Amino acid sequence: MNNLKKFNYLLGECDGIYHEFANKFKMSDSQMRILYTICDLGKTCLIKDLIFYSGLTKQTINSALRGLEKEEIISLSYVDKKSKSVSLTNKGEKICEDSVELIIKYEKEIFASWSDEEVSIYLNLMKRYNDALRKRLGDLK
């Protein structure tokens, strides 16, 4: 298998694993990504930070937030005229405790099993790859 095929297989496999987690927790992929990001940022965050750190589009986030708010998993509040924050409700905290916080725990355990050098190499290469690919996206007219 050439490197690009191997990379694409591994990328797809990783996406598939996170999709399976979402299914196990009876969530959509976007709901899980949003709840994961909120937990990772400290249980409350600005929507603009949620967009930045989750990698999801503003439209996807707004749509998923409406559903999560309707289910009383999150609450939204205005920080100022242009900014809203999103916070986990008590129900949301319990859901996250039983789902995304387990994933975060597993991820931390995996990183802890790697040397500092391995973690650094992995993260630096991912960043370089993403930056280079993002530049190519910007080159498209």
Side-chain angles (χ1 to χ4, degrees):
M1 187 181 306
N2 71 36
N3 287 337
L4 185 57
K5 281 185 181 168
K6 192 173 195 174
F7 172 79
N8 285 317
Y9 167 77
L10 292 170
L11 186 62
E13 183 181 35
C14 187
D15 285 345
I17 292 167
Y18 283 99
H19 176 73
E20 288 179 45
F21 274 118
N23 284 342
K24 281 213 182 280
F25 300 132
K26 298 179 178 25
M27 293 182 212
S28 70
D29 292 354
S30 58
Q31 287 174 325
M32 191 181 84
R33 175 89 55 97
I34 287 168
L35 293 177
Y36 181 105
T37 305
I38 294 168
C39 287
D40 194 41
L41 293 174
K43 308 218 191 266
T44 299
C45 64
L46 295 174
I47 291 179
K48 70 177 186 171
D49 291 336
L50 188 55
I51 293 167
F52 180 81
Y53 289 105
S54 72
L56 298 172
T57 66
K58 186 176 181 178
Q59 181 179 353
T60 298
I61 286 180
N62 285 332
S63 174
L65 287 178
R66 280 193 299 277
L68 291 168
E69 186 177 37
K70 187 176 181 180
E71 294 178 46
E72 299 180 341
I73 295 169
I74 57 105
S75 64
L76 298 170
S77 59
Y78 280 96
V79 175
D80 57 38
K81 290 180 183 179
K82 292 185 178 184
S83 299
K84 277 187 179 179
S85 78
V86 57
S87 301
L88 294 173
T89 61
N90 289 337
K91 178 181 177 181
E93 285 187 26
K94 175 66 176 139
I95 288 170
C96 285
E97 224 175 81
D98 297 335
S99 59
V100 296
E101 288 182 14
L102 286 174
I103 297 169
I104 291 170
K105 177 182 171 244
Y106 300 154
E107 291 168 332
K108 286 179 178 179
E109 289 170 357
I110 292 165
F111 275 122
S113 75
W114 296 358
S115 71
D116 289 344
E117 182 181 14
E118 288 171 323
V119 172
S120 180
I121 289 168
Y122 178 76
L123 295 176
N124 286 329
L125 288 173
M126 282 190 68
K127 172 115 176 67
R128 278 179 49 199
Y129 180 85
N130 287 347
D131 289 348
L133 197 56
R134 186 173 289 110
K135 182 184 180 311
R136 295 297 184 163
L137 178 62
D139 292 344
L140 295 176
K141 305 264 187 244

